[in-house]
Structures are given as C-alpha cells and as structure tokens.
Amino acid sequence: MNADATVAASLVEAAETRIAAYDWPALTAELDGFGCAVMEKLLSPQECRQIAGLYPQEQHFRSHVHMARHGFGKGEYRYFRYPLPDLIGGLRGALYPRLAEVANRWNERMGIAMRYPGTHAAFLEQCHAAGQARPTPLLLQYVPGDFNCLHQDLYGDLAFPLQVAILLSEPGEDFTGGEFALTEQRPRMQSRVEVVPLRQGDAVAFAVHNRPVQGTKGNYRVNLRHGVSRLRSGMRHTVGIIFHDAK
C-alpha cells in the first residue's frame, strides 16, 4: 500500500469510529420508511466552521456553479477537487458501506440487478471505468432569497442511490428559512413532502432517485427529489457527500 492509500485508509478508519456510534438499525428503518434519516451532531461546530471556511479558497475546488444561470434555483455551490479535504474524504469512505447495505437491499426489492461493492474505493473504480472520474462532493452557499429547486444528483449512468447532506450553519442564529425538503412521487397518488429539521452539524442521508415501498401487491418504486426552501435571512452553508463520481 502506498503512502496516499495508507493515509486514506487511516482517515476512513477514524471516520468509521464516529459513524459506528449511531443506531444503524433505527437509521435504516427511517430510510426504509421515509426515504431519509438524520444523524444528529455528525460534525462539531468547529468542524462545521472549518469546512464552511473553505468556500472562498479556490484551490480546494474544481468548479463553481451559479444556480440561476442553469435554472437550478438561486444561490451557488462549488465542487471539491481531488484529493478531498480529509474530513469529507474520510466520511465519504466510512458512510458508504453502511449505505451500500441499504442500497443493495433496495435494488433487490425493486428487481434491479445492480449490486454495490463493499468498499467505496471499489465503487469508485467502477465509476472511473464507466468514464465518471470527476469528484462530486460539494459545498453550497445561500444568502437571503436563495433556494434550490427540487432535483436529483445523478451525474452519469452509474449513480449510487443514497447521498448525505450536512448542515454547517446554525438555524435561528446564522440564518432563517432554508429548510431541507424531499418530495416523493407515488404511482397514481399525490406526491408526499418530507421537511427535515436539521441543526448545525446534523447530517441527513436520503434517497437520490428511487426507493422501494411495500404495497398490498408487493414492492413498488417511488421517485424522489430534494431541494432547499427560500432563505429568509443570514447565510447558510451545507456540504453534500455524493458517492458516485461524475462524467
């Protein structure tokens, strides 16, 4: 194992200790029932400020997106470049195996043949072989009037079906408004909305695209989108951890 791989493995190991402290059977039940689950206080306030403070530092990012130019909403975000910041890279590697278990079970229930490997490194090899090699973790910044339209973060043919967002700012102190929301389109029924209350450092894991729901005649798929409501005041930062890379 080379030096970079050794460092990456140690970062994931440290993050795994943090991730293992959560009640994963309960989180899995939330994901199965509602398509999302909250991990409270995944990051400390100091870690939140540290990551948010990276936003103006160009050297950490590969691209800068202004949402209004693309019809995505109003606000902006930046995609990190490789190597990712240590904390984000470690959490990405540590969260993946837990969520891969959920993803594989969901695919089985939906009759989808794809099964995800046990480690994030192995999954990234599949992404890169498919021509998806650009990192997707991102840092988002909102100011008053900004919002994020409902969307799905797919980026290519190979997409991991769950992702994680971590709120870096404190509601009521740093900003007001800006609630994280999911919508779920159900066959022949009206859409369901889930508004997820988060505090600084809380993370929400959620379905990117589809998830299975148990019906009277077996499992059926629902289609999900996520977004952020209008910011009323202040400034809001969020880090998004997407597990597949982009074309």
Side-chain angles (χ1 to χ4, degrees), residues 50-199:
Q50 177 186 1
I51 295 173
L54 299 177
Y55 196 84
Q57 301 178 31
E58 300 278 353
Q59 68 270 24
H60 296 291
F61 304 98
R62 65 172 177 84
S63 66
H64 186 180
V65 177
H66 292 271
M67 297 185 206
R69 294 177 186 173
H70 306 278
F72 296 162
K74 190 171 181 288
E76 58 184 75
Y77 54 87
R78 289 183 160 181
Y79 287 106
F80 286 101
R81 67 171 69 248
Y82 281 133
L84 299 175
D86 291 348
L87 183 56
I88 295 171
L91 288 173
R92 196 185 191 204
L95 284 162
Y96 171 87
R98 304 276 184 170
L99 297 177
E101 293 180 8
V102 177
N104 285 333
R105 186 162 42 78
W106 281 6
N107 278 6
E108 182 177 1
R109 290 175 59 190
M110 292 187 291
I112 298 173
M114 177 68 184
R115 296 294 181 269
Y116 300 94
T119 68
H120 191 241
F123 177 60
L124 284 184
E125 288 181 4
Q126 294 181 354
C127 289
H128 298 172
Q132 297 177 208
R134 295 190 298 160
T136 49
L138 68 163
L139 186 56
L140 303 99
Q141 178 174 279
Y142 300 84
V143 296
D146 288 353
F147 62 95
N148 197 346
C149 294
L150 295 170
H151 65 285
Q152 299 168 329
D153 296 310
L154 296 176
Y155 300 111
D157 294 332
L158 188 58
F160 191 71
L162 294 118
Q163 68 190 66
V164 173
I166 309 171
L167 183 60
L168 304 177
S169 308
E170 180 61 38
E173 294 183 12
D174 298 324
F175 71 95
T176 61
E179 293 86 1
F180 178 86
L182 287 167
T183 63
E184 190 172 84
Q185 293 175 301
R186 302 173 294 170
R188 298 175 297 281
M189 290 184 281
Q190 293 182 327
S191 295
R192 184 181 71 86
V193 178
E194 185 86 7
V195 177
V196 183
L198 299 170
R199 308 299 302 183

Side-chain angles (χ1 to χ4, degrees), residues 106-107 109-113 184-187 209-213 218-224:
W106 281 6
N107 278 6
R109 290 175 59 190
M110 292 187 291
I112 298 173
E184 190 172 84
Q185 293 175 301
R186 302 173 294 170
H209 183 204
N210 297 124
R211 75 176 185 91
V213 173
N219 290 290
Y220 62 92
R221 297 187 199 185
V222 295
N223 186 50
L224 295 102

